[in-house]
Amino acid sequence: MADLLKLVYQYMEALNLSAESIRDKNFNDMSGGQKCKLRLAIYFAMAECIKPRLFMIDEPFNDVDDPSERAICEMLEEFKEKNAGTTTFVVTHQDNNSLRLNLYDRVLLMRNSNKPIVYYGPVGEEGTFASGATGYHKYIEENKIGRRVVPQHTCFDLP
């Protein structure tokens, strides 16, 4: 248990969440960002101790600031390197047009019609139709999956 708590505090520190800032707070009285960071610190610490075959994270980037997003990305990368036998499954609504896509080995894009676009391969570089995009972004362009920008995220539509 002591090792688990030590890891929780390490992850909290990586996410810039001090124990003092939440020590006397009820979980329901914390901000959305504090709740998200605390959950992630606990989840990553538990996964590091247990070393599960499947590690699922739902919406890790919600309610956090840019430095925390970068810290979460680093945590995902480090976890991937340390836990080669663990498949990490990340559910997010915010990655369609993001550099964070480079964190993932495979991308499954669900759409409003519930028809998934599955892409297995390198994510590559984002681009435009004339830019020579690579990987996932090239797949989106070559299959003429249109893109319309919506505030805070990008949606892909079938032609």
Side-chain angles (χ1 to χ4, degrees), residues 100-137:
R100 289 192 303 247
L101 278 171
N102 289 318
L103 292 170
Y104 312 124
D105 295 323
R106 294 179 185 92
V107 176
L108 172 65
L109 177 66
M110 294 299 294
R111 310 158 42 66
N112 290 343
S113 63
N114 291 325
K115 295 178 184 171
I117 297 170
V118 183
Y119 175 75
Y120 297 97
V123 173
E125 297 295 322
E126 185 173 3
T128 63
F129 285 101
S131 72
T134 60
Y136 172 76
H137 302 286

Coordinates of all heavy atoms in Angstrom, one line a residue, residues 100-137:
R100 N -1.7 14.8 -30.2 CA -1.8 13.7 -29.3 C -2.0 12.4 -30.1 O -1.7 11.3 -29.5 CB -2.9 13.9 -28.3 CG -2.5 15.0 -27.3 CD -3.5 15.0 -26.1 NE -4.9 15.1 -26.5 CZ -5.6 16.2 -26.3 NH1 -5.1 17.2 -25.6 NH2 -6.9 16.2 -26.6
L101 N -2.5 12.5 -31.3 CA -2.7 11.2 -32.1 C -1.4 10.4 -32.2 O -1.4 9.2 -32.3 CB -3.2 11.5 -33.5 CG -4.7 11.8 -33.6 CD1 -5.0 12.3 -35.0 CD2 -5.5 10.5 -33.3
N102 N -0.2 11.1 -32.1 CA 1.1 10.4 -32.2 C 1.3 9.5 -31.0 O 2.2 8.7 -31.1 CB 2.2 11.5 -32.4 CG 2.2 12.1 -33.7 OD1 2.0 11.4 -34.7 ND2 2.4 13.4 -33.8
L103 N 0.6 9.7 -30.0 CA 0.7 8.8 -28.8 C 0.2 7.4 -29.1 O 0.6 6.5 -28.4 CB -0.1 9.3 -27.6 CG 0.3 10.6 -27.0 CD1 -0.7 11.1 -26.0 CD2 1.7 10.4 -26.3
Y104 N -0.7 7.3 -30.1 CA -1.4 6.0 -30.2 C -0.8 5.2 -31.4 O -0.4 5.7 -32.4 CB -2.9 6.3 -30.5 CG -3.5 7.3 -29.5 CD1 -4.1 8.5 -30.0 CD2 -3.4 7.1 -28.2 CE1 -4.6 9.4 -29.1 CE2 -3.9 8.0 -27.3 CZ -4.5 9.1 -27.7 OH -5.1 10.0 -26.8
D105 N -0.8 3.9 -31.2 CA -0.4 2.9 -32.2 C -1.5 2.6 -33.2 O -1.3 2.4 -34.4 CB 0.1 1.6 -31.6 CG 1.3 1.8 -30.7 OD1 2.1 2.6 -31.1 OD2 1.4 1.1 -29.7
R106 N -2.8 2.7 -32.7 CA -3.9 2.4 -33.5 C -5.0 3.5 -33.2 O -5.1 3.9 -32.0 CB -4.5 1.0 -33.3 CG -3.5 0.0 -33.7 CD -4.1 -1.4 -33.5 NE -3.2 -2.4 -33.8 CZ -2.3 -2.9 -32.9 NH1 -2.3 -2.5 -31.7 NH2 -1.4 -3.9 -33.3
V107 N -5.8 3.8 -34.2 CA -6.8 4.8 -34.0 C -8.1 4.2 -34.5 O -8.2 3.7 -35.6 CB -6.6 6.1 -34.8 CG1 -7.7 7.1 -34.6 CG2 -5.3 6.8 -34.3
L108 N -9.2 4.3 -33.7 CA -10.5 3.9 -34.0 C -11.4 5.1 -33.9 O -11.6 5.6 -32.8 CB -11.0 2.7 -33.2 CG -12.5 2.3 -33.4 CD1 -12.7 1.7 -34.8 CD2 -12.9 1.3 -32.3
L109 N -11.9 5.6 -35.0 CA -12.7 6.8 -34.9 C -14.2 6.4 -35.0 O -14.6 5.8 -36.0 CB -12.3 7.7 -36.1 CG -13.1 9.0 -36.3 CD1 -12.8 9.9 -35.1 CD2 -12.7 9.7 -37.6
M110 N -14.9 6.7 -34.0 CA -16.4 6.4 -34.0 C -17.1 7.7 -34.5 O -16.7 8.8 -34.2 CB -16.9 6.1 -32.7 CG -16.3 4.8 -32.1 SD -16.7 3.3 -33.1 CE -18.5 3.2 -32.9
R111 N -18.1 7.5 -35.2 CA -18.8 8.6 -35.9 C -20.3 8.7 -35.4 O -20.7 7.8 -34.7 CB -18.8 8.5 -37.4 CG -17.3 8.2 -37.9 CD -17.3 7.5 -39.2 NE -18.2 8.0 -40.1 CZ -18.2 9.3 -40.6 NH1 -17.2 10.1 -40.2 NH2 -19.0 9.7 -41.4
N112 N -21.0 9.7 -35.7 CA -22.4 9.9 -35.3 C -23.2 8.7 -35.8 O -24.2 8.4 -35.2 CB -22.9 11.2 -35.8 CG -22.3 12.4 -35.1 OD1 -21.7 12.2 -34.0 ND2 -22.5 13.6 -35.7
S113 N -22.9 8.2 -37.0 CA -23.6 7.1 -37.5 C -23.2 5.7 -36.9 O -23.8 4.7 -37.3 CB -23.4 7.0 -39.0 OG -22.1 6.7 -39.3
N114 N -22.3 5.8 -35.9 CA -21.8 4.6 -35.3 C -21.1 3.6 -36.2 O -21.0 2.4 -36.0 CB -22.9 3.8 -34.5 CG -23.3 4.6 -33.3 OD1 -22.5 5.3 -32.7 ND2 -24.6 4.6 -33.0
K115 N -20.6 4.1 -37.4 CA -19.8 3.4 -38.3 C -18.4 3.7 -38.1 O -18.0 4.8 -38.4 CB -20.2 3.6 -39.8 CG -21.6 3.2 -40.1 CD -22.0 3.6 -41.5 CE -23.4 3.2 -41.8 NZ -23.9 3.8 -43.1
P116 N -17.6 2.8 -37.5 CA -16.2 3.2 -37.2 C -15.3 3.2 -38.4 O -15.5 2.5 -39.3 CB -15.8 2.1 -36.2 CG -16.6 0.9 -36.7 CD -17.9 1.5 -37.1
I117 N -14.4 4.1 -38.3 CA -13.2 4.1 -39.2 C -12.1 3.6 -38.4 O -11.7 4.1 -37.4 CB -12.9 5.6 -39.7 CG1 -14.1 6.2 -40.4 CG2 -11.7 5.6 -40.5 CD1 -14.0 7.6 -40.7
V118 N -11.6 2.5 -38.9 CA -10.5 1.8 -38.2 C -9.2 2.0 -38.9 O -9.2 1.8 -40.2 CB -10.7 0.3 -38.0 CG1 -9.6 -0.3 -37.2 CG2 -12.1 0.1 -37.3
Y119 N -8.2 2.5 -38.3 CA -6.9 2.7 -38.9 C -5.8 2.0 -38.1 O -5.7 2.3 -36.9 CB -6.6 4.2 -39.0 CG -5.2 4.4 -39.6 CD1 -4.9 4.2 -40.9 CD2 -4.2 4.8 -38.8 CE1 -3.7 4.4 -41.4 CE2 -2.9 5.0 -39.3 CZ -2.7 4.8 -40.6 OH -1.4 4.9 -41.1
Y120 N -5.1 1.1 -38.7 CA -4.0 0.4 -38.0 C -2.7 0.8 -38.7 O -2.5 0.4 -39.8 CB -4.2 -1.1 -38.1 CG -5.4 -1.7 -37.4 CD1 -6.5 -1.9 -38.1 CD2 -5.4 -1.9 -36.0 CE1 -7.7 -2.4 -37.4 CE2 -6.5 -2.3 -35.3 CZ -7.6 -2.6 -36.1 OH -8.7 -3.1 -35.4
G121 N -1.9 1.6 -38.1 CA -0.7 2.0 -38.8 C -0.1 3.2 -38.1 O -0.7 3.7 -37.1
P122 N 1.0 3.7 -38.6 CA 1.6 4.9 -38.0 C 0.6 6.1 -38.1 O -0.1 6.2 -39.1 CB 2.9 5.1 -38.7 CG 2.6 4.4 -40.0 CD 1.7 3.3 -39.8
V123 N 0.7 7.0 -37.1 CA -0.2 8.1 -37.2 C 0.3 9.1 -38.2 O -0.4 9.6 -39.0 CB -0.3 8.8 -35.8 CG1 -1.0 10.1 -35.9 CG2 -1.0 7.9 -34.9
G124 N 1.6 9.4 -38.2 CA 2.2 10.3 -39.2 C 2.0 11.7 -39.0 O 1.6 12.2 -38.0
E125 N 2.1 12.5 -40.1 CA 2.0 13.9 -40.0 C 0.7 14.4 -40.6 O 0.2 13.9 -41.6 CB 3.1 14.6 -40.9 CG 4.5 14.3 -40.4 CD 4.8 14.9 -39.0 OE1 4.3 16.0 -38.7 OE2 5.4 14.2 -38.2
E126 N 0.1 15.4 -39.9 CA -1.1 16.0 -40.4 C -0.8 16.9 -41.6 O 0.2 17.4 -41.7 CB -1.8 16.8 -39.3 CG -3.1 17.3 -39.7 CD -3.8 18.0 -38.5 OE1 -3.2 18.1 -37.4 OE2 -5.0 18.5 -38.7
G127 N -1.8 17.0 -42.5 CA -1.6 17.8 -43.7 C -2.9 18.2 -44.3 O -3.9 18.1 -43.7
T128 N -2.8 18.7 -45.5 CA -3.9 19.0 -46.4 C -3.9 18.1 -47.6 O -3.0 17.3 -47.8 CB -3.9 20.5 -46.8 OG1 -2.8 20.7 -47.7 CG2 -3.8 21.4 -45.6
F129 N -4.9 18.2 -48.4 CA -4.9 17.3 -49.6 C -3.7 17.5 -50.4 O -3.3 16.5 -51.1 CB -6.2 17.6 -50.4 CG -7.4 17.1 -49.8 CD1 -8.3 17.9 -49.1 CD2 -7.8 15.8 -49.9 CE1 -9.4 17.5 -48.5 CE2 -8.9 15.3 -49.3 CZ -9.8 16.1 -48.6
A130 N -3.1 18.6 -50.5 CA -1.9 18.8 -51.3 C -0.6 18.7 -50.5 O 0.5 18.9 -51.1 CB -2.0 20.2 -51.9
S131 N -0.7 18.4 -49.3 CA 0.5 18.5 -48.4 C 1.4 17.3 -48.3 O 2.4 17.3 -47.7 CB 0.1 19.0 -47.0 OG -0.5 18.0 -46.4
G132 N 0.8 16.1 -48.8 CA 1.6 14.9 -48.6 C 1.5 14.4 -47.2 O 2.5 14.0 -46.6
A133 N 0.4 14.5 -46.5 CA 0.2 14.0 -45.2 C 0.6 12.5 -45.2 O 0.6 11.8 -46.2 CB -1.3 14.1 -44.7
T134 N 0.9 12.0 -44.0 CA 1.3 10.6 -43.9 C 0.4 9.9 -42.8 O -0.2 10.5 -42.0 CB 2.8 10.5 -43.4 OG1 3.0 11.1 -42.2 CG2 3.7 11.1 -44.5
G135 N 0.5 8.6 -42.8 CA -0.2 7.8 -41.8 C -1.7 8.0 -41.8 O -2.4 8.0 -42.8
Y136 N -2.2 8.1 -40.6 CA -3.6 8.3 -40.3 C -4.2 9.4 -41.1 O -5.2 9.3 -41.8 CB -3.8 8.5 -38.8 CG -5.2 8.9 -38.4 CD1 -6.2 7.9 -38.4 CD2 -5.6 10.2 -38.1 CE1 -7.5 8.2 -38.0 CE2 -6.8 10.5 -37.7 CZ -7.8 9.5 -37.6 OH -9.1 9.8 -37.3
H137 N -3.5 10.6 -41.1 CA -4.0 11.7 -41.8 C -4.1 11.5 -43.4 O -5.0 11.9 -44.0 CB -3.2 13.0 -41.5 CG -3.1 13.2 -40.0 ND1 -4.2 13.8 -39.4 CD2 -2.1 13.0 -39.1 CE1 -3.9 13.9 -38.1 NE2 -2.6 13.4 -37.9

